[in-house]
Amino acid sequence: MGEVRGADGGKVPVMLSNCAGVQYYRPSRIANVGCGDIQWKGGKERGRQRTRTSPTRRLGAGSHRSPSKDRARSAPPNGNRSRSCSLERPWKGPGMSSRIVRMYIRGRPITMVAPIEGGEVKETAPPKKRLELDWVYGYNGSSCRANLHQLGSGEVVYFIAAVAVLYDTKEKAQRHYLGHTDDITCLAVHPDGVTVVSGQVGGHRRDIELPHYAKLDPYFSTPGRDNWYKSRVCIWDSRTLHTISVIGAGQLQFGPRAVSFSVRDGGSQLAIANENGGGTMLRLWDWKKKHVLAEAKATTDPLFLTVFNPTDNTQLVTAGKGHVTFWTLKKNGLLSRKNGIFGKLKPKYVECISFTQNGDVITGDSKGNILIFKKDSNQAGRSIIGAHKDGVTALYLRRDGTLISGGGDKKLVLWDLDLQKPLKIAKLPKKTGKVRSICVLDQGGSTVDSNIYVGTTGNCLCEGKIGGDFILTTQGHHSELLTVATHPSQPVFLTSDDLSHVILWNASLRQAVWRTLLKYPAHSADFYPDGKLIAVGSASGRLCVLGAMTGDVIFRRQQASEQLDCLKYSPNGEMLAVGSHENCIYVYTVHNNGRSYKKIGTLRGHSSYVTHLDWDVSSRFLQSTSGDYELLYWDVIGLRHVNHASSMSDVTWATQTCVFGYSVFGMWPEDADGTDINACAASNDRTMLASSDDFGKVNLYRYPCSTPMSPGQIYPGHSSHVTCVRFLYDDSYLLSTGGADSAVFQWRVVSKGAKLHKSARGQPSADDLGVSKLTFINDLLDDIVISGKNQENGSSALPHSPNNERNSTRTRQRNNTKNENQPSAHQPMTPILQTDDQALIDHIFAIN
């Protein structure tokens, strides 16, 4: 009897038998349901079991016989026939591997082949590297209001998923508050410009995640964090990104809908409106003492906003569906109310609230009207009828007393002091959505020429000035994200959502390269090996091929009647495998550099829809997984199922995205459901394994991950199931996509103990890249010349990025020490800055 340490540091009993196999078990349960039950079996017993469970036997498909049945011996898995004659390491052929691993999920066995070498089960250490959240693409404007504010530091704060984003408008960099465990629903800033309050809905209780949260925020190490997973409101410091106080944990039921600090008394009070089973409750808190000052039932209808009157800390206003209510805090601790009277102008929704300098209330509604209520009156007085088409959705009163309104017509209007006529009008770019929130940057002087940030219902942020043009600062999806695919040689990746939007991103610039709208949602995607084309599988069963430069459709074909769940190009680019919801895999040959396709066969054998695919490095074999937890292997040349999984023991896979397999089974937690892990990806250097789960987490392990319940690192931020994870081509970043949170996260891969620094344009600093400022600037000079030459030659290559050192001419010269001072005649000549030009280097680095 021996022992192996589990992920929690405990010892798992191990029963050894003389080289025939190893069986893991627990005293209370042997070979029962759960990922902790793993059996090794070898020899004839294992071969007989595989024959009984083979898809060909199960389906009775005589045309798909195994190699052992039709006496046709397959070639060695690496495609090199001479290897089978090697005396040092002969290929064993079908059924000749010594060991397999069997994992059970919901009582169903999943058989995985241990490699011929290095297949011993041993303790797995945590990964040597860690993840740091670098950038979040998107903004939550689809379901929340008044969630874009300026901090005293000049940063703009907003939220998406479970992350509060602090955006530095000068350096174009982001910081992130990660003290929430599920969807953030509301946000407000204290009058001091430093303290922030944000509320969240309830999440999953998984105490295994607490130590990982504690690394991000000391609050999760305190005794008072028992209800850490429930609906609550967090008050936090925007400088340290640490939680100051937590209010309402376990008391706010379905979660807060609106929050607001008082202004007149220096922000000592906090108003929280939260949903319960019978409507919405309004509570006033002394947030420092965590004491409720007053409470009342606000409404049974949806409530969107609650705001303190900046001129009187005893008055606040709430608004929502068909109502605006004026509240007053009495000396006896009770809240009195007056419902707003609209007369003939009663709207369906009151969308936004603002205040004049003397305390009058301004509202904007779904009818497109702006109404003004005197401070001590609940009767609508002055009004601007038809201020915007499709409703007034945002209001902002500038320090000079002028009002900016935004509407469903995507327009921003600056009104005069008397609110009689518009002074200036600006319009947002197309396809950004309606105006949701407005933030005018206060630079300490006049706000006349200040930049304006606008959040939209399309989950985008725009920047500009009234009367001028607005540009997109941050783009995002506004529906469930389905897939992510990475470029083979550039810091570029593609995402798609359930509303048929497809976006190509540049990870170095943190910007969208292009955005296109397909006829059907794209459920899968992959780049052609040269990176110039992208294959996309849609929900309608249609296969499309897009140009990577423009997003134009080059090829389309209706392949199936159901969605195409996964697809992969072979490493040599000669074939394309497409996994369908019809339980089969379609195989195409690729011609004309990826512009034409011919179907050569269909691989049948799965008893459920195909979820993931991987090619081997020789472009001959496939491994695939399905919705009912099958792992099958295929010989694509012979268009047949490989009946004996042991024959694949020495195959090297070009990618590892299948969630089952000997090198990844350790990422499955004990007693996991088969849907708990949605996707995984091995790094290109095969040192890390990332997975995404149904609890909004990204997980990082050491690769191969071949120990039951291997130790790993958990990274929060998403508030919905994480649908996909992928590493960039150079493993510098990991990309993850959320489901219902519509967020794309870009994680920087760093060594443990490494300190990250801010840098120009929000890009990795020279220290993080391992290059100096001088090298960085010289690479930029090369890029300018290269891009100019490409334009002259009509080249269609993707734009070069400073992070992409592999394709940098200057980097190639730098690595070639023999020819460093002898540039090739066909390479563009660029001026080389020397170290004594330090002042010029610093200047160029700053402006870029």
Side-chain angles (χ1 to χ4, degrees):
M1 179 73 68
E3 290 178 335
V4 173
R5 290 189 178 275
D8 57 356
K11 295 182 178 180
V12 179
V14 176
M15 181 175 64
L16 305 176
S17 58
N18 16 303
C19 300
V22 180
Q23 183 178 33
Y24 288 83
Y25 70 93
R26 295 179 301 173
S28 60
R29 184 179 64 184
I30 300 178
N32 202 349
V33 180
C35 294
D37 310 316
I38 297 174
Q39 299 177 350
W40 284 39
K41 296 189 178 182
K44 297 180 180 180
E45 180 184 2
R46 185 240 343 107
R48 289 195 299 270
Q49 289 176 350
R50 286 296 296 157
T51 302
R52 286 199 302 270
T53 59
S54 68
T56 53
R57 286 293 185 93
R58 197 166 56 240
L59 298 179
S63 59
H64 296 277
R65 294 177 295 175
S66 67
S68 59
K69 290 295 181 181
D70 60 7
R71 300 180 181 179
R73 180 186 175 96
S74 300
N78 66 351
N80 184 0
R81 293 181 180 274
S82 62
R83 188 179 175 200
S84 62
C85 301
S86 170
L87 298 177
E88 297 180 357
R89 192 181 178 192
W91 181 59
K92 295 189 175 185
M96 299 298 291
S97 179
S98 57
R99 297 165 302 184
I100 65 169
V101 176
R102 182 164 288 115
M103 177 175 73
Y104 291 84
I105 290 185
R106 301 184 69 177
R108 178 155 191 167
I110 303 168
T111 301
M112 300 164 289
V113 184
I116 293 178
E117 294 183 0
E120 299 82 7
V121 173
K122 57 184 179 182
E123 182 178 356
T124 301
K128 293 183 178 180
K129 295 187 178 181
R130 62 182 175 87
L131 301 179
E132 183 98 10
L133 186 56
D134 176 72
W135 199 265
V136 178
Y137 298 90
Y139 154 85
N140 189 349
S142 58
S143 60
C144 303
R145 294 164 173 79
N147 58 352
L148 185 64
H149 303 275
Q150 184 187 17
L151 298 172
S153 61
E155 295 170 302
V156 175
V157 59
Y158 57 94
F159 60 80
I160 181 171
V163 178
V165 181
L166 292 79
Y167 176 66
D168 191 322
T169 60
K170 294 181 179 179
E171 295 192 5
K172 310 300 181 186
Q174 287 184 356
R175 297 189 297 135
H176 309 95
Y177 171 70
L178 297 171
H180 287 286
T181 59
D182 213 290
D183 272 304
I184 302 177
T185 55
C186 51
L187 181 144
V189 176
H190 193 275
D192 64 10
V194 174
T195 307
V196 182
V197 58
S198 50
Q200 70 155 79
V201 299
H204 301 280
R205 179 172 187 175
R206 300 179 73 221
D207 291 338
I208 190 176
E209 299 170 356
L210 269 174
H212 301 273
Y213 275 106
K215 295 178 182 177
L216 303 171
D217 195 326
Y219 157 73
F220 292 96
S221 298
T222 62
R225 50 100 175 103
D226 294 337
N227 294 319
W228 63 275
Y229 59 94
K230 294 185 179 180
S231 300
R232 54 195 171 91
V233 167
C234 298
I235 296 97
W236 47 278
D237 191 321
S238 62
R239 296 166 300 186
T240 63
L241 301 179
H242 289 166
T243 302
I244 300 172
S245 178
V246 173
I247 290 178
Q251 305 175 38
L252 300 182
Q253 296 185 354
F254 297 116
R257 297 304 306 168
V259 291
S260 176
F261 281 110
S262 58
V263 178
R264 189 69 175 177
D265 60 354
S268 63
Q269 298 180 64
L270 176 65
I272 303 175
N274 72 280
E275 292 182 352
N276 58 25
T280 303
M281 292 293 296
L282 177 64
R283 292 183 176 92
L284 298 188
W285 295 72
D286 182 333
W287 64 270
K288 292 183 179 179
K289 297 180 180 179
K290 299 185 179 180
H291 173 64
V292 178
L293 301 175
E295 65 178 351
K297 185 172 182 179
T299 178
T300 57
D301 293 321
L303 186 147
F304 304 148
L305 303 162
T306 178
V307 187
F308 270 98
N309 193 318
T311 64
D312 190 343
N313 62 306
T314 64
Q315 296 183 3
L316 68 155
V317 182
T318 61
K321 182 178 180 181
H323 78 276
V324 59
T325 305
F326 304 90
W327 301 85
T328 303
L329 177 62
K330 300 297 184 179
K331 292 183 179 180
N332 58 4
L334 298 178
L335 281 170
S336 65
R337 61 185 295 167
K338 291 181 181 179
N339 293 325
I341 301 174
F342 298 95
K344 295 181 179 180
L345 300 178
K346 184 175 176 63
K348 184 175 181 180
Y349 297 101
V350 177
E351 301 273 5
C352 47
I353 299 174
S354 186
F355 294 88
T356 63
Q357 293 175 333
N358 61 3
D360 293 346
V361 181
I362 310 173
T363 65
D365 58 49
S366 56
K367 284 189 173 181
N369 302 328
I370 297 176
L371 306 180
I372 301 174
F373 297 81
K374 287 293 184 179
K375 180 181 177 181
D376 297 321
S377 172
N378 64 333
Q379 177 75 45
R382 288 190 299 155
S383 61
I384 304 176
I385 307 300
H388 288 272
K389 294 181 180 179
D390 297 330
V392 179
T393 54
L395 294 171
Y396 190 96
L397 188 76
R398 303 201 301 182
R399 193 156 41 143
D400 60 4
T402 55
L403 180 72
I404 297 177
S405 64
D409 53 6
K410 303 181 183 179
K411 291 182 179 180
L412 295 172
V413 179
L414 175 64
W415 301 89
D416 62 2
L417 291 173
D418 296 327
L419 296 180
Q420 296 294 329
K421 60 180 180 179
L423 299 177
K424 295 181 181 179
I425 298 177
K427 192 166 186 178
L428 299 182
K430 295 181 179 179
K431 300 180 181 180
T432 57
K434 303 176 182 179
V435 176
R436 176 61 80 193
S437 189
I438 301 173
C439 177
V440 179
L441 297 191
D442 187 353
Q443 307 296 339
S446 173
T447 58
V448 175
D449 296 325
S450 297
N451 277 9
I452 300 173
Y453 279 82
V454 180
T456 73
T457 56
N459 290 354
C460 300
L461 286 181
C462 301
E463 177 186 6
K465 297 180 179 180
I466 294 290
D469 294 331
F470 277 77
I471 60 173
L472 279 168
T473 299
T474 297
Q475 290 194 54
H477 292 273
H478 52 282
S479 180
E480 180 176 0
L481 286 161
L482 302 174
T483 188
V484 60
T486 56
H487 193 280
S489 60
Q490 294 279 349
V492 173
F493 64 97
L494 177 136
T495 58
S496 67
D497 62 32
D498 202 28
L499 292 180
S500 308
H501 291 100
V502 176
I503 304 179
L504 186 74
W505 307 90
N506 187 309
S508 297
L509 301 178
R510 281 87 170 171
Q511 294 178 354
V513 179
W514 50 255
R515 183 187 190 115
T516 189
L517 180 66
L518 301 179
K519 290 185 177 180
Y520 304 98
H523 278 249
S524 53
D526 190 34
F527 278 84
Y528 190 67
D530 66 4
K532 295 181 180 180
L533 301 174
I534 308 169
V536 174
S538 72
S540 66
R542 176 176 295 185
L543 173 66
C544 299
V545 178
L546 311 179
M549 281 296 296
T550 61
D552 295 334
V553 178
I554 309 173
F555 171 89
R556 64 166 57 93
R557 175 173 178 172
Q558 185 67 39
Q559 176 55 56
S561 58
E562 296 189 53
Q563 65 193 37
L564 305 180
D565 295 295
C566 53
L567 55 82
K568 280 283 180 67
Y569 282 105
S570 61
N572 60 13
E574 296 178 359
M575 285 184 285
L576 174 68
V578 181
S580 170
H581 222 64
E582 297 173 329
N583 307 354
C584 58
I585 301 171
Y586 303 106
V587 182
Y588 296 86
T589 54
V590 182
H591 308 279
N592 193 20
N593 293 324
R595 295 178 177 271
S596 60
Y597 297 78
K598 181 180 179 181
K599 181 182 173 183
I600 60 172
T602 302
L603 302 175
R604 303 183 186 276
H606 277 297
S607 55
S608 184
Y609 57 93
V610 184
T611 57
H612 303 91
L613 287 172
D614 288 306
W615 286 90
D616 79 317
V617 293
S618 68
S619 301
R620 171 163 186 176
F621 294 96
L622 278 173
Q623 65 174 349
S624 60
T625 57
S626 66
D628 60 351
Y629 327 131
E630 283 181 317
L631 172 64
L632 299 183
Y633 302 97
W634 311 90
D635 180 356
V636 180
I637 302 301
L639 292 176
R640 69 184 69 201
H641 166 250
V642 178
N643 197 32
H644 294 286
S646 56
S647 65
M648 311 301 289
S649 60
D650 208 21
V651 170
T652 301
W653 300 105
T655 58
Q656 179 62 59
T657 60
C658 288
V659 294
F660 303 120
Y662 179 82
S663 58
V664 301
F665 77 83
M667 70 181 178
W668 286 88
E670 186 178 16
D671 296 327
D673 183 88
T675 60
D676 284 350
I677 294 180
N678 298 314
C680 72
S683 60
N684 295 282
D685 63 2
R686 292 300 191 271
T687 61
M688 297 172 287
L689 175 70
S691 71
S692 59
D693 60 33
D694 250 16
F695 308 102
K697 305 299 183 293
V698 173
N699 309 282
L700 188 68
Y701 304 91
R702 186 188 291 256
Y703 186 88
C705 188
S706 302
T707 301
M709 295 167 288
S710 295
Q713 301 165 5
I714 299 175
Y715 295 94
H718 286 286
S719 59
S720 177
H721 58 289
V722 187
T723 55
C724 195
V725 287
R726 291 291 183 270
F727 285 93
L728 278 186
Y729 76 101
D730 59 356
D731 297 330
S732 58
Y733 291 103
L734 174 74
L735 292 318
S736 63
T737 53
D741 62 28
S742 306
V744 181
F745 286 7
Q746 182 171 305
W747 306 86
R748 189 198 305 271
V749 180
V750 296
S751 300
K752 284 187 176 180
K755 293 183 178 180
L756 299 179
H757 305 283
K758 288 184 179 180
S759 60
R761 301 165 63 184
Q763 295 182 354
S765 66
D767 295 336
D768 296 328
L769 290 172
V771 297
S772 64
K773 281 187 179 181
L774 179 63
T775 301
F776 185 85
I777 298 300
N778 279 327
D779 282 344
L780 284 178
L781 293 174
D782 273 334
D783 298 334
I784 296 172
V785 176
I786 292 172
S787 61
K789 183 177 178 181
N790 287 341
Q791 291 176 2
E792 293 175 2
N793 298 335
S795 173
S796 60
L798 285 171
H800 177 69
S801 162
N803 280 357
N804 186 9
E805 291 196 43
R806 180 184 298 181
N807 296 328
S808 170
T809 305
R810 185 63 54 201
T811 302
R812 290 196 297 270
Q813 292 177 358
R814 193 166 57 248
N815 292 336
N816 188 357
T817 56
K818 294 182 180 180
N819 300 323
E820 186 174 10
N821 298 320
Q822 301 175 5
S824 174
H826 68 272
Q827 292 177 341
M829 297 297 294
T830 61
I832 301 176
L833 295 179
Q834 305 299 328
T835 55
D836 55 357
D837 298 325
Q838 190 61 44
L840 179 59
I841 293 170
D842 291 338
H843 174 69
I844 297 176
F845 195 83
I847 64 177
N848 281 278

